[in-house]
Amino acid sequence: MPDNERHADVIVVGAGPGGSAASYHLARHGLRVLLLEKTEFPREKVCGDGLTPRAVKQLIRMGVDTSPEVGWLRNRGLRVIGGGVRLELDWPELASFPGYGLVRTRLDLDDALAKQAVKVGAELRTGVTVTGPLLDGAGRVEGVTAQLPEGGQGEFRAPLVIAADGVSGRLPLALGLAKRTDRPMGVAVRRYYASPARHDDDYLESWLELRSREGGDNLLPGYGWIFGMGDGRVNVGLGVLNSSAAFGRTNYRTMLTDWLTSTPAEWGLTEENAEGKVLGAALPMGFNRVPHYTRGLMLVGDSGGMVNPFNGEGIAYAMESGELAAEIAVQALARPAGPGRERALGQYSAELRARYGGYYRLGNVFVKVIGNPHLMRIATRHGMPHPTLMRFVLKLLANLTDPRGGDAMDRIINALTRVAPAV
Ligand SMILES: Cc1cc2nc3c(=O)[nH]c(=O)nc-3n(C[C@H](O)[C@H](O)[C@H](O)COP(=O)(O)OP(=O)(O)OC[C@H]3O[C@@H](n4cnc5c(N)ncnc54)[C@H](O)[C@@H]3O)c2cc1C
């Protein structure tokens, strides 16, 4: 690799949705972007593959054609199952977000988003594993070291580095930015099953109570989903929050198969229809790694713990923070290096707090409440029979409101997030 290809205006580490979104928006503003990714595309990522209207909005902002003709499966809302009730809630009609969600495997999605970044000029280097930051004499990040695909170590230099390296967050860790243990954390597992009966679904399906037939009718800790993939398969999974007594003490893989024994036989969610293993990963929530900007390094998406504590959604927030990081980087890099540039970069942390801080604070409280099975059962039993209340809950949990000119529900949610002190 020629030496001049190792210099850029911005280095982005990790080509998940956060890194590709950041790269796309940086490149669109004419900056030279190096997007370094350790894997080769297409590659799998453990995920539910569900995209709410929030994520769809970000895809549109990246110029992605989300029409069904090019393979996107649309959904019209969320089906919630719990408390003996099955409720179909359409996505709210809003000025700020499209009225549909999508489902797409991460195998396809992440590949498509990386290609979109390349299309507008970002330089993607796959097979490059970033091993650590390069620091100048003052301890400011001025690039990264990496394991190169051809073998050996290399150095990549830029005045700004964006860590979009996912939940492991090796790069921020190397700068001493550890996960905060006082923030919510989840673990989720998922598996694909061939299910002609369930693969074509125009709702994302969410289970508030999981039961097992093994040894009687047992209530399992955690929440589940069944998302039809439209290709003969379903993505089935469950998540457990660290506010639950079962967190870290349960075999989540066994729990998934236990739950599925209680689903109707015609859905075919059995071992012989399973594709691959049950795979799992952590969900870093509610800003569990801060500060989001320090010493030449910005954190985007899971690297900065940005999963929504209310619903476990992370793709939209990775892409939104990627776009915000890009906007701020463009302004900062137009200034000479020094205090003025640092002031501009510091806005990234401040703006993230302003946008999500109050909402995540409420989410952190929510996680504590639903970690108590007794309280959760009361909420499910009393909430589910009331569709209007549940429409409100959907707006709150999916963070889908209009900031201005919305309805009464929007105004209540917006007011609550404004009065909650930012995390
Ligand atoms: C089981 C499960 C189900 C989920 N379901 C959903 C869902 O349905 N909808 C939703 O919105 N969210 C869901 N999430 C959350 C979602 O997957 C994440 O929030 C999202 O992927 C975050 O995107 P990201 O770009 O920040 O990080 P990632 O998608 O994790 O991307 C990080 C990238 O960085 C690369 N990388 C890491 N380290 C290095 C390195 N050292 N050098 C170079 N490259 C590196 C990785 O290979 C990867 O490509 C789920 C999570 C789990 C675990």
Side-chain angles (χ1 to χ4, degrees):
M1 188 182 291
D3 196 46
N4 64 359
E5 287 185 35
R6 292 191 181 161
H7 285 90
D9 295 319
V10 184
I11 290 168
V12 179
V13 179
S20 289
S23 302
Y24 173 88
H25 293 289
L26 286 162
R28 282 251 314 186
H29 284 92
L31 295 194
R32 178 149 190 232
V33 187
L34 262 178
L35 174 55
L36 306 178
E37 166 59 45
K38 67 178 178 186
T39 64
E40 300 287 347
F41 287 110
R43 60 105 180 86
E44 229 189 333
K45 154 83 178 77
V46 185
C47 188
D49 305 328
L51 300 166
T52 68
R54 244 195 129 86
V56 177
K57 179 172 182 174
Q58 287 305 310
L59 295 181
I60 294 168
R61 291 188 69 76
M62 280 182 73
V64 176
D65 175 3
T66 63
S67 56
E69 294 73 44
V70 289
W72 293 89
L73 184 68
R74 292 192 176 190
N75 55 66
R76 40 192 297 197
L78 190 69
R79 181 182 306 113
V80 192
I81 296 174
V85 179
R86 185 176 176 276
L87 205 58
E88 286 182 347
L89 299 161
D90 285 359
W91 298 119
E93 286 175 19
L94 296 168
S96 313
F97 295 96
Y100 63 98
L102 295 164
V103 174
R104 189 87 188 230
T105 64
R106 292 293 298 275
L107 189 83
D108 278 355
L109 177 77
D110 290 23
D111 188 34
L113 296 184
K115 286 200 171 101
Q116 207 66 8
V118 169
K119 209 170 151 187
V120 294
E123 292 169 47
L124 171 67
R125 299 255 199 281
T126 54
V128 176
T129 302
V130 170
T131 47
L134 280 170
L135 303 177
D136 67 12
R140 190 181 188 284
V141 178
E142 57 173 8
V144 294
T145 53
Q147 192 73 42
L148 303 175
E150 59 271 26
Q153 285 274 327
E155 292 184 351
F156 296 86
R157 288 179 190 275
L160 185 64
V161 175
I162 293 180
D165 51 351
V167 62
S168 67
R170 293 263 161 74
L171 196 54
L173 257 183
L175 279 192
L177 302 180
K179 284 179 192 145
R180 289 184 58 151
T181 50
D182 60 341
R183 297 288 152 88
M185 185 76 162
V187 170
V189 295
R190 71 100 171 94
R191 198 180 202 185
Y192 293 109
Y193 290 84
S195 177
R198 291 300 317 268
H199 85 111
D200 193 9
D201 195 347
D202 51 7
Y203 286 88
L204 295 177
E205 188 168 288
S206 167
W207 290 54
L208 303 183
E209 289 167 342
L210 306 181
R211 294 187 177 275
S212 157
R213 288 257 163 78
E214 303 290 318
D217 186 20
N218 290 326
L219 188 65
L220 302 166
Y223 310 95
W225 69 82
I226 300 177
F227 296 165
M229 301 304 300
D231 61 0
R233 298 179 301 164
V234 288
N235 178 321
V236 183
L238 60 83
V240 177
L241 295 162
N242 64 351
S243 54
S244 158
F247 186 82
R249 294 200 208 141
T250 309
N251 183 332
Y252 305 113
R253 290 171 175 78
T254 314
M255 192 163 122
L256 181 71
T257 44
D258 278 357
W259 164 40
L260 297 182
T261 57
S262 75
T263 56
E266 59 273 22
W267 294 1
L269 307 179
T270 56
E271 205 51 41
E272 54 272 28
N273 294 331
E275 189 187 285
K277 292 188 191 139
V278 182
L279 296 176
L283 290 164
M285 298 171 163
F287 287 165
N288 87 337
R289 189 180 275 118
V290 286
H292 290 120
Y293 172 74
T294 183
R295 293 179 280 151
L297 185 75
M298 293 169 121
L299 312 188
V300 154
D302 277 13
S303 192
M306 297 191 203
V307 172
N308 180 350
F310 281 106
N311 67 354
E313 175 182 20
I315 297 169
Y317 299 93
M319 296 180 75
E320 288 178 15
S321 58
E323 180 174 12
L324 177 65
E327 279 168 9
I328 286 174
V330 168
Q331 292 300 328
L333 293 175
R335 301 177 179 197
R341 181 183 286 179
E342 290 307 307
R343 222 176 356 263
L345 289 168
Q347 271 306 298
Y348 180 58
S349 304
E351 185 59 30
L352 281 172
R353 267 169 65 86
R355 286 191 191 184
Y356 310 108
Y359 179 75
Y360 282 178
R361 164 77 68 168
L362 292 180
N364 296 352
V365 174
F366 173 82
V367 163
K368 287 204 181 98
V369 172
I370 68 168
N372 178 331
H374 181 63
L375 289 180
M376 182 59 192
R377 213 163 308 138
I378 293 174
T380 307
R381 291 274 124 96
H382 294 279
M384 283 292 285
H386 301 285
T388 307
L389 174 63
M390 290 306 290
R391 271 194 291 280
F392 175 85
V393 171
L394 176 68
K395 282 191 163 198
L396 175 67
L397 269 50
N399 198 6
L400 289 171
T401 60
D402 275 327
R404 279 168 289 279
D407 62 13
M409 291 186 189
D410 293 13
R411 288 195 290 279
I412 294 170
I413 294 169
N414 296 337
L416 282 172
T417 57
R418 265 198 306 273
V419 298
V423 284

